[in-house]
Amino acid sequence: MDKETARRKIHDLSELIRQHDHNYYVLAQPTISDYDYDQLVKELEKLEQEHPDLVSPDSPTQRVGKDLIKNFEQITHRYPMLSLANTYNEGELLDFDRRNREGLAADEKIEYMVEYKIDGVSISLTYENGQLTKGATRGDGVVGDDVTANVRTIKSIPLTLPKDLIKKYGLNSFEVRGELYMEVKEFRELNERRLEAGEKTFANPRNFTAGTIKTQDPKIVAQRPLQIFVYYLLAENENLSSQSENLRILKELGFRVNPASKLCSSIEAVKTYCGELEEARENLPYEIDGAVIKVNSVRQQKILGNVAKSPRWAVAYKFKAKQAETLLKSITWQVGRTGAITPVAELEPVFLAGSTISRATLHNMDEIKRLHIKEGKMVVIEKGGDVIPKVVKVVNADDDYASPPAECPVCQSKVFNPDDEVAIYCENLECPAQVKGRIIHFAAKGAMDIEGMGESLVEQLVDNGFLHTYADIYDLKEKREALLELERLGEKKVDNLLKAIEDSKNQPFSRVLFALGIRNVGANMAKKLASHFKTLDAIVSATKEEIESVYEVGETISLSLKNFLDDEKHQPVIVRLRKAGLQFHDDVTEAKDNFFKNNNFVLTGSLNSYQREEAGREIELLGGHTMASVGKKTNYVIAGESAGSKLDKAKKLGIPVLTEEEFLEKLQEAKKNG
């Protein structure tokens, strides 16, 4: 076959295979048998092998890359991927409609598009001249991970689009937003196969999807039946006038659009249709957790704009959590890293909202007493926020309920119940469960992020005497040969672990502070404290009052910090971590002189441009300090919408008050001069 004939044949085969992919994966209307489809693919592969110079990047044979993805590069979204505010009842829907009307001219008519809120993973797809060029996860809404190689393997996502339609709609460069998911039937069958093979099952379709799209091997992604529904079109094109029209265009271009989307002429029609969608929920082949309501007009969307990280013109209407009835077989008492002993319900397995549930949280003894929970009873469970299973009711409850343990279920030490808390605690700091919990927390993503040091490995290392505190992690390099003797730890795995441990020494001070596992000091609070004090030594030497001067830090957090850092058991561990080379200081450069530097600010009310936490971070980066309450040391109060008692107190004390506009002007000026 001459080259020109081969070129035409490859082109025709590629187009034919793309059409069959569209029929099967997008329209769910196959027009060819699997065997005949495979023969077409094999014919194309043979031609491309004979003429490798004729293979194009968008060929159906090139969906799956051959190389592993070592690290996912970061992509800054051209348009931020905003999150949606939630509504839970008809009253909140009416408030959403009222706010929209107040934001538009009095004679404006508002239409709404109502769509299913698919319980999956958000994805952004970028197309240039009809070719898929980028696929990115949502990330923090501004920056996401480049997962293009994995996205290309999903056959319901077109790699190339019809040129005539691209020209017709003026879409040379545009972005599509969608939701990746896995159908419930496929998920259940997958878990059944894994059970038969003696493998660990996946928790739910959403987690499975999230893990799959971040898998480092595109060949594995290609083998997993991920699907997509697209729901938004973004382009610098004034002719894109409405959400309903954009969905029609997306469908015409070959994208998979959910057929349940509906245009409603009023908020009353929205309420009615949301009710219909909720009723149909049980019969859907995929998981949803509500509906999304969007102002249909793109012009009106632009007028209404965004607030903080959410659009004003769209909301999620969350459906009621799904429930199921099952037997409570027993209650297990788990010991966490702080020593808190938490009850967990061991259930007769039952399928609920996309996954098989065999355990559910019981929270604490107060909840057990309130619901009269006892082993051997039939209970009603639901997924809180459609994520965390919990027991919400006992069927035919009586006055009896389960008793708490008299001793720690792990180390048999005494338990105690602080006067101001509901939880009960194991008093033994050397309790193996606490030791494991503290080390797991220390190594986790978001803390020291030591890849490979998960729960099972930590348990193995503690049980075999390698780890007693998290400081011992940094001595493991001296025990390489001994590690190689443990089960499931080969040479490559050990070397990767030791490298990850060494790399963790570069984590910033805020991560280290969070990793220490101080009660009430979460990741965000650790960032605030690190930004304010700059070093651990400064926190150690700070007074209770100085700690509580940090924005959103109260007595509970200050006491937790002082108790932890003053404890003689913790001090030697911190000394060892310092010697290992961990970062106990913030490398943020000293801010130049500006309006904010060395001044104390209190934020009150709602800001349109920032969430209060973000505004506080901006102030702290410029050398200022944020405070939780108005007092004599407060230099300025920044008052947003609906500011309350803090504003009143500032006026009473004669403290200067800045509006949001004045704050933004000062901020811009400080950044410009800095």
Side-chain angles (χ1 to χ4, degrees):
M1 186 183 296
D2 64 76
K3 182 158 288 192
E4 188 54 38
T5 303
R7 187 191 309 277
R8 288 198 302 271
K9 186 68 174 173
I10 286 173
H11 174 271
D12 292 345
L13 275 171
S14 297
E15 289 299 311
L16 183 59
I17 291 169
R18 287 192 195 102
Q19 184 58 53
H20 285 309
D21 282 344
H22 181 75
N23 293 343
Y24 186 91
Y25 293 102
V26 177
L27 302 180
Q29 296 172 353
T31 55
I32 188 174
S33 70
D34 289 349
Y35 175 80
D36 289 339
Y37 176 86
D38 290 341
Q39 295 308 304
L40 291 175
V41 173
K42 286 178 181 178
E43 185 179 356
L44 177 60
E45 288 174 340
K46 184 173 183 296
L47 279 170
E48 289 181 339
Q49 287 170 2
E50 294 170 355
H51 303 275
D53 55 320
L54 298 181
V55 179
S56 67
D58 64 338
S59 168
T61 65
Q62 302 302 302
R63 276 190 176 270
V64 183
K66 297 178 177 62
D67 297 328
L68 293 179
I69 305 166
K70 293 181 180 177
N71 292 296
F72 291 99
E73 293 184 7
Q74 299 281 282
I75 290 181
T76 300
H77 298 299
R78 186 186 305 178
Y79 310 95
M81 293 187 74
L82 304 174
S83 57
L84 294 175
N86 292 326
T87 57
Y88 294 92
N89 54 56
E90 291 185 355
E92 291 176 348
L93 273 184
L94 293 173
D95 286 340
F96 166 66
D97 180 60
R98 174 185 54 76
R99 290 192 299 271
N100 288 333
R101 294 187 179 283
E102 290 172 352
L104 299 170
D107 59 347
E108 292 256 9
K109 183 178 186 295
I110 304 178
E111 292 182 316
Y112 293 106
M113 275 300 293
V114 182
E115 306 160 32
Y116 269 131
K117 187 174 183 296
I118 309 298
D119 191 15
V121 177
S122 296
I123 200 79
S124 170
L125 307 172
T126 301
Y127 287 81
E128 303 286 347
N129 299 315
Q131 303 293 318
L132 174 66
T133 57
K134 289 290 181 188
T137 63
R138 181 180 181 276
D140 63 2
V142 177
V143 176
D145 289 327
D146 184 345
V147 291
T148 309
N150 288 341
V151 160
R152 287 176 59 86
T153 70
I154 301 170
K155 292 190 176 180
S156 51
I157 296 177
L159 301 182
T160 184
L161 303 172
K163 291 180 180 178
D164 57 333
L165 294 179
I166 292 297
K167 184 177 180 181
K168 175 182 176 181
Y169 294 115
L171 295 173
N172 294 329
S173 176
F174 69 99
E175 201 170 321
V176 178
R177 299 281 164 79
E179 199 80 0
L180 296 173
Y181 70 96
M182 185 181 187
E183 293 195 349
V184 174
K185 180 174 179 289
E186 298 269 16
F187 178 76
R188 295 180 77 166
E189 290 174 353
L190 171 72
N191 269 348
E192 286 169 6
R193 290 195 297 271
R194 291 182 70 86
L195 273 175
E196 289 173 4
E199 298 174 334
K200 187 176 179 181
T201 58
F202 295 105
N204 54 61
R206 187 190 184 284
N207 286 1
F208 173 80
T209 302
T212 296
I213 202 61
K214 292 293 295 291
T215 298
Q216 292 179 309
D217 188 349
K219 292 193 287 294
I220 293 176
V221 183
Q223 295 167 4
R224 295 181 174 179
L226 297 192
Q227 270 286 17
I228 191 172
F229 278 125
V230 301
Y231 55 76
Y232 206 61
L233 170 61
L234 289 150
E236 300 297 329
N237 187 336
E238 296 299 323
N239 295 323
L240 300 176
S241 59
S242 69
Q243 171 69 1
S244 55
E245 178 66 6
N246 289 353
L247 290 178
R248 187 194 65 75
I249 292 171
L250 285 169
K251 188 174 181 180
E252 189 178 351
L253 287 170
F255 290 98
R256 199 161 177 267
V257 176
N258 194 292
S261 306
K262 183 177 181 179
L263 181 62
C264 295
S265 59
S266 68
I267 198 66
E268 292 301 322
V270 168
K271 286 160 49 180
T272 300
Y273 190 54
C274 282
E276 293 175 13
L277 292 180
E278 187 165 11
E279 283 184 17
R281 179 186 193 183
E282 292 298 326
N283 299 318
L284 294 174
Y286 44 81
E287 287 295 319
I288 56 113
D289 58 0
V292 177
I293 298 98
K294 300 170 185 169
V295 170
N296 189 45
S297 164
V298 172
R299 178 186 63 81
Q300 290 178 342
Q301 290 178 8
K302 291 177 179 177
I303 293 171
L304 292 168
N306 308 317
V307 53
K309 293 184 178 180
S310 302
R312 286 193 175 93
W313 45 268
V315 292
Y317 178 68
K318 304 286 277 188
F319 295 159
K320 293 181 181 67
K322 289 184 178 180
Q323 294 186 336
E325 191 173 304
T326 189
L327 175 69
L328 172 57
K329 297 193 295 184
S330 63
I331 295 175
T332 301
W333 296 86
Q334 293 185 334
V335 184
R337 62 184 175 84
T338 64
I341 302 175
T342 307
V344 176
E346 304 292 344
L347 307 166
E348 188 69 37
V350 60
F351 194 78
L352 173 65
S355 57
T356 300
I357 308 300
S358 58
R359 310 182 88 206
T361 180
L362 294 174
H363 299 292
N364 50 51
M365 270 308 300
D366 277 10
E367 190 73 354
I368 289 175
K369 292 176 183 177
R370 185 180 72 83
L371 295 175
H372 300 285
I373 292 171
K374 192 175 182 182
E375 296 171 345
K377 295 283 188 180
M378 294 297 293
V379 295
V380 176
I381 61 169
E382 71 175 31
K383 282 191 176 181
D386 273 352
V387 178
I388 304 170
K390 60 180 180 180
V391 175
V392 295
K393 182 183 177 182
V394 174
V395 180
N396 300 323
D398 51 34
D399 293 335
D400 204 5
Y401 55 82
S403 301
E407 58 184 28
C408 173
V410 175
C411 69
Q412 287 72 55
S413 297
K414 290 181 180 178
V415 299
F416 67 97
N417 176 214
D419 292 337
D420 58 343
E421 293 190 41
V422 174
I424 56 175
Y425 291 86
C426 167
E427 66 178 10
N428 176 21
L429 287 175
E430 304 305 317
C431 172
Q434 291 187 55
V435 172
K436 291 174 183 177
R438 287 194 290 270
I439 296 172
I440 290 167
H441 170 79
F442 182 88
K445 193 171 184 178
M448 300 309 291
D449 196 10
I450 302 175
E451 189 172 348
M453 187 166 278
E455 186 174 335
S456 60
L457 179 58
V458 169
E459 289 183 354
Q460 187 179 14
L461 294 175
V462 172
D463 291 342
N464 284 278
F466 284 87
L467 301 179
H468 303 281
T469 73
Y470 36 64
D472 294 331
I473 290 171
Y474 297 94
D475 294 334
L476 289 177
K477 62 184 177 183
E478 310 297 334
K479 303 174 182 178
R480 181 180 180 278
E481 297 307 314
L483 288 172
L484 291 172
E485 296 179 9
L486 295 177
E487 289 184 19
R488 303 188 304 278
L489 281 185
E491 195 164 330
K492 185 177 179 181
K493 191 170 183 179
V494 168
D495 288 340
N496 286 341
L497 174 65
L498 295 178
K499 184 181 182 302
I501 291 171
E502 190 65 26
D503 291 345
S504 74
K505 295 177 183 180
N506 297 319
Q507 294 292 359
F509 172 40
S510 61
R511 289 278 199 100
V512 178
L513 187 60
F514 171 56
L516 294 178
I518 303 169
R519 286 182 66 194
N520 305 306
V521 177
N524 288 332
M525 182 53 63
K527 287 179 184 177
K528 290 178 186 295
L529 292 163
S531 175
H532 183 91
F533 288 103
K534 304 295 189 272
T535 70
L536 184 67
D537 290 336
I539 298 176
V540 171
S541 61
T543 65
K544 178 174 174 291
E545 291 72 22
E546 287 171 335
I547 294 174
E548 289 174 19
S549 71
V550 179
Y551 181 57
E552 291 187 344
V553 175
E555 185 177 11
T556 301
I557 293 172
S558 67
L559 286 174
S560 288
L561 273 168
K562 298 304 286 183
N563 289 341
F564 184 93
L565 297 172
D566 292 344
D567 193 317
E568 293 181 357
K569 293 186 181 70
H570 296 140
Q571 289 171 357
V573 176
I574 292 173
V575 169
R576 289 177 61 198
L577 293 176
R578 283 184 190 272
K579 287 182 178 179
L582 273 65
Q583 305 296 315
F584 281 96
H585 57 86
D586 195 329
D587 287 331
V588 176
T589 55
E590 182 71 17
K592 294 182 180 179
D593 287 340
N594 61 71
F595 171 77
F596 296 94
K597 189 173 181 180
N598 298 326
N599 279 326
N600 297 320
F601 295 82
V602 171
L603 292 140
T604 183
S606 300
L607 302 177
N608 292 318
S609 304
Y610 290 95
Q611 292 183 345
R612 283 196 293 181
E613 181 179 322
E614 294 171 328
R617 176 66 175 163
E618 293 280 7
I619 291 168
E620 288 164 1
L621 286 173
L622 290 164
H625 305 292
T626 52
M627 305 174 65
S629 57
V630 177
K632 292 179 180 179
K633 291 185 178 181
T634 306
N635 298 108
Y636 295 93
V637 168
I638 299 168
E641 296 175 8
S642 305
S645 59
K646 292 178 184 177
L647 177 59
D648 295 336
K649 188 172 181 180
K651 290 177 179 177
K652 187 176 180 181
L653 294 175
I655 296 170
V657 176
L658 300 177
T659 64
E660 181 174 359
E661 291 73 20
E662 290 169 332
F663 163 62
L664 293 175
E665 286 177 12
K666 297 285 188 186
L667 196 61
Q668 189 175 6
E669 182 182 343
K671 288 183 175 181
K672 184 178 179 182
N673 296 333

